[in-house]
């Protein structure tokens, strides 16, 4: 049976797609994706027809996909992968067993690699919370950002919609202190920038570049906040862990 493959593209660099994702892209007869992935994956997409899913309403999209499936496999190339904040869940349900999902490298994984930092350093961070400021605000009764921003928490903020000064002030009122913050912008894409600073200096650090539009939106920026970004790991932790591992093995 021909299938619609929802392939995690990774952050944007075609070197960061999985081998399986690349093979499916090479074997399909049509691709659905949107900027900037259409451009960065042009080499792997070749001369296959490329459709922007946002050109179709839901029913038209289903009709088009079912028609294309008559002729062969279809790949939906999606940013990161579908684990967090994927817009395609309803489509996946509607297509049922005609769908297969292929994992990829999320922007959180790619940002962690660029920073060379685990995002929940033991002894420093007791929890990591993934949020979208936009979604939080839209859901009545959801906790506010300042209620989640507490010492010991690493926050990953997707789809920020606050101007940076306002975001910083909300985070400061939650953490109750200065806190390390990283802005990972266009990871794996032309124009990649990584800013690592603190709530005190991040606004100045970014004043020379247009990370955020006038409404504060920064669609291709992942924001990471928390002590784990700069804390010095305790070297003795390794020896304790090693002893535990050896004890379990014997
Ligand atoms: C709709 S969500 C999709 C997230 C995706 N499923 C993932 O795990 O990377 C879009 C948000 O992911 C983050 N994002 C996606 N791709 C990115 C990239 N290349 N660089 C930085 N942030 C990215 C941004 O916060 C953006 O607003």
């Amino acid at each position: 049976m021909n299938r619609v493959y929802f392939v995690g593209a990774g952050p944007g660099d075609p070197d960061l797609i999985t081998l399986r994702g690349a093979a499916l892209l090479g074997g399909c007869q049509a691709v659905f994706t949107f900027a900037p992935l259409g451009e960065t994956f042009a080499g792997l997409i070749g001369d296959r027809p490329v459709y922007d899913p946002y050109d179709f309403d839901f029913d038209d999209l289903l009709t088009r996909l079912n028609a294309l499936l008559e002729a062969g496999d279809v790949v939906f190339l999606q940013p990161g992968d579908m684990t967090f904040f994927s817009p395609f869940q309803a489509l996946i349900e509607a297509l049922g067993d005609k769908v297969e999902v292929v994992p990829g490298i999320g922007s959180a994984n790619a940002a962690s690699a660029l920073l060379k930092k685990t995002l929940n350093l033991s002894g420093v961070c007791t929890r990591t919370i993934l949020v979208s400021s936009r979604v939080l605000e839209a859901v009545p009764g959801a906790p506010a950002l300042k209620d989640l921003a507490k010492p010991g928490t690493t926050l990953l903020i997707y789809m920020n919609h606050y101007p940076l000064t306002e975001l910083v002030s909300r985070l400061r009122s939650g953490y109750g202190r200065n806190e390390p913050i990283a802005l990972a912008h266009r990871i794996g894409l032309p124009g990649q920038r990584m800013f690592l600073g603190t709530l005190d200096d991040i606004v100045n650090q970014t004043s020379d570049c247009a990370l955020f539009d006038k409404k504060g939106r920064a669609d291709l920026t992942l924001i990471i906040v928390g002590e784990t970004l700069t804390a010095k790991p305790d070297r003795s932790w390794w020896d304790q862990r090693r002893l535990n591992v050896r004890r379990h093995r014997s």
Side-chain angles (χ1 to χ4, degrees), residues 120-216:
N120 59 346
L121 184 67
S122 295
V124 168
C125 167
T126 53
R127 55 221 178 268
T128 302
I129 301 179
L130 288 90
V131 289
S132 150
S133 62
R134 203 186 301 163
V135 173
L136 268 185
E137 204 159 83
V139 178
L145 196 58
K146 71 175 171 46
D147 300 323
L148 301 175
K150 299 291 170 201
T153 304
T154 302
L155 270 187
L156 266 59
I157 305 170
Y158 293 72
M159 295 172 284
N160 170 54
H161 74 310
Y162 296 125
L164 188 55
T165 43
E166 184 181 344
L167 178 74
V168 163
S169 127
R170 285 171 186 263
L171 291 169
R172 184 184 292 288
S173 87
Y175 280 103
R177 63 187 193 194
N178 194 16
E179 194 77 10
I181 180 168
L183 306 182
H185 182 62
R186 295 185 63 88
I187 315 167
L189 292 164
Q192 172 180 294
R193 302 279 302 263
M194 175 66 84
F195 299 88
L196 177 59
T198 66
L199 295 179
D200 276 351
D201 66 20
I202 199 71
V203 174
N204 276 346
Q205 270 203 46
T206 56
S207 57
D208 69 326
C209 69
L211 277 191
F212 298 85
D213 70 12
K214 289 197 179 84
K215 289 189 177 147

Side-chain angles (χ1 to χ4, degrees), residues 11 79-81 84-85 106-107 157-159 184 186-187 189 218-222:
D81 81 347
F84 300 112
F85 301 115
S107 45
I157 305 170
Y158 293 72
M159 295 172 284
R186 295 185 63 88
I187 315 167
L189 292 164
D219 267 348
L220 284 176
T221 304
L222 178 67

Side-chain angles (χ1 to χ4, degrees), residues 9-17 37 40-41 187-189:
D13 177 345
D15 279 352
L16 294 180
I17 194 171
L37 299 180
T40 58
F41 280 88
I187 315 167
L189 292 164

Side-chain angles (χ1 to χ4, degrees), residues 82-127:
M82 78 162 291
T83 314
F84 300 112
F85 301 115
S86 169
F88 299 125
Q89 191 63 49
L91 198 55
I92 287 172
E93 312 273 327
L95 287 163
D97 61 5
K98 292 177 204 156
V99 164
E100 189 176 317
V101 177
V102 180
I105 296 176
S107 45
N109 307 99
S112 158
L114 271 182
L115 289 159
K116 301 184 188 164
K117 293 285 180 187
T118 182
L119 298 185
N120 59 346
L121 184 67
S122 295
V124 168
C125 167
T126 53
R127 55 221 178 268

